[in-house]
Amino acid sequence: MWSFILSFFVVCAGINNAYAKDVYESALMLTPDLKNGKHSYRLCASCHLENGLGKSNGSFPVIASQHRSVIIKQLKDIQKKYRQNPTMYPFSDPQTIGGVQAIADVAAYIESMPSDKNNGVGSGDNLVSGKELYLNNCIACHGNSGQGDGEKVFPRIKDQHYEYILRQLKWIRDGYRTNSNPGMLALIKNMSDQDLVNLADYVSRF
């Protein structure tokens, strides 16, 4: 009897792992419902605010207008611990959000939200250097104005807060954020702290 019960739970665990693996890929294939996405977004608003603009001090990023594919990927990576973000762990669980359809819905709703040009910026002291770094290292993926590419899952960084950009650059360079594109890590791994300050400042002004 006990062996049967144990086998049952092992099988269920396997099913749950497969479900977790496929749930976000499935979300990309679904037709989103923006009305339901707005309802699901209430979970996100406590940190990212009702308008999705986060906080100018960079404690919470702008997510408004972010590509749907990027939102879904980040939720997947956080849920599977590819990206360390304990604050987001509960919210990345598809059952907390409301299932696969809800993930598709909230990601599309976030993408539909307008961004804002009044984001936090840096000092403006070394924008020439920041521009040079961006043109030589970032423009191919993130575009000439930080618009990114949803089809290739390259994030939109336009209108993002300076402090958030700088923190993510440092975490990627130093290996703390482990879900970044390997190509990006290769480009910034030898940049100094000052390089990253200049780059983040320039990007924050898109």
Side-chain angles (χ1 to χ4, degrees), residues 94-151:
Q95 298 310 310
T96 300
I97 295 173
V100 185
Q101 184 66 56
I103 292 170
D105 297 344
V106 74
Y109 177 71
I110 290 169
E111 185 179 50
S112 76
M113 300 171 76
S115 64
D116 188 275
K117 298 183 184 303
N118 295 316
N119 56 300
V121 298
S123 66
D125 292 339
N126 294 288
L127 295 179
V128 172
S129 173
K131 180 178 181 178
E132 182 179 1
L133 288 165
Y134 187 83
L135 294 178
N136 290 335
N137 298 281
C138 314
I139 193 170
C141 294
H142 292 287
N144 58 0
S145 61
Q147 72 271 20
D149 188 328
E151 289 188 6

Side-chain angles (χ1 to χ4, degrees), residues 44-66:
C44 315
S46 58
C47 294
H48 296 284
L49 308 185
E50 291 291 338
N51 55 16
L53 299 181
K55 297 183 179 180
S56 60
N57 65 6
S59 55
F60 295 104
V62 175
I63 57 174
S65 296
Q66 185 58 266

Side-chain angles (χ1 to χ4, degrees), residues 78 106 168 205:
I78 291 168
V106 74
Q168 297 308 306
R205 295 166 189 275

Side-chain angles (χ1 to χ4, degrees), residues 1-194:
M1 180 65 178
W2 287 110
S3 61
F4 170 77
I5 293 173
L6 179 60
S7 298
F8 173 78
F9 281 113
V10 168
V11 169
C12 287
I15 291 172
N16 287 337
N17 287 337
Y19 175 75
K21 180 179 180 181
D22 296 335
V23 65
Y24 294 98
E25 287 80 355
S26 298
L28 285 170
M29 305 300 294
L30 294 173
T31 301
D33 180 329
L34 292 183
K35 183 177 180 180
N36 185 55
K38 183 177 182 179
H39 176 78
S40 298
Y41 182 76
R42 292 182 302 174
L43 286 169
C44 315
S46 58
C47 294
H48 296 284
L49 308 185
E50 291 291 338
N51 55 16
L53 299 181
K55 297 183 179 180
S56 60
N57 65 6
S59 55
F60 295 104
V62 175
I63 57 174
S65 296
Q66 185 58 266
H67 300 297
R68 174 173 170 257
S69 60
V70 172
I71 295 292
I72 292 173
K73 180 185 184 297
Q74 295 307 311
L75 285 172
K76 177 192 73 174
D77 288 355
I78 291 168
Q79 192 268 340
K80 294 179 73 64
K81 307 297 193 294
Y82 296 152
R83 177 177 177 181
Q84 302 300 314
N85 191 330
T87 303
M88 278 289 298
Y89 287 160
F91 304 103
S92 66
D93 181 354
Q95 298 310 310
T96 300
I97 295 173
V100 185
Q101 184 66 56
I103 292 170
D105 297 344
V106 74
Y109 177 71
I110 290 169
E111 185 179 50
S112 76
M113 300 171 76
S115 64
D116 188 275
K117 298 183 184 303
N118 295 316
N119 56 300
V121 298
S123 66
D125 292 339
N126 294 288
L127 295 179
V128 172
S129 173
K131 180 178 181 178
E132 182 179 1
L133 288 165
Y134 187 83
L135 294 178
N136 290 335
N137 298 281
C138 314
I139 193 170
C141 294
H142 292 287
N144 58 0
S145 61
Q147 72 271 20
D149 188 328
E151 289 188 6
K152 296 180 179 178
V153 203
F154 293 145
R156 171 190 167 96
I157 54 177
K158 180 180 174 65
D159 301 329
Q160 187 58 263
H161 301 305
Y162 161 76
E163 292 288 352
Y164 179 78
I165 297 168
L166 179 59
R167 185 167 71 251
Q168 297 308 306
L169 286 170
K170 287 182 177 179
W171 283 359
I172 291 169
R173 181 197 63 183
D174 298 341
Y176 179 72
R177 178 169 171 176
T178 55
N179 78 323
S180 64
N181 188 306
M184 180 174 177
L185 175 59
L187 290 168
I188 70 170
K189 66 180 181 180
N190 293 320
M191 290 188 186
S192 67
D193 284 353
Q194 188 60 56

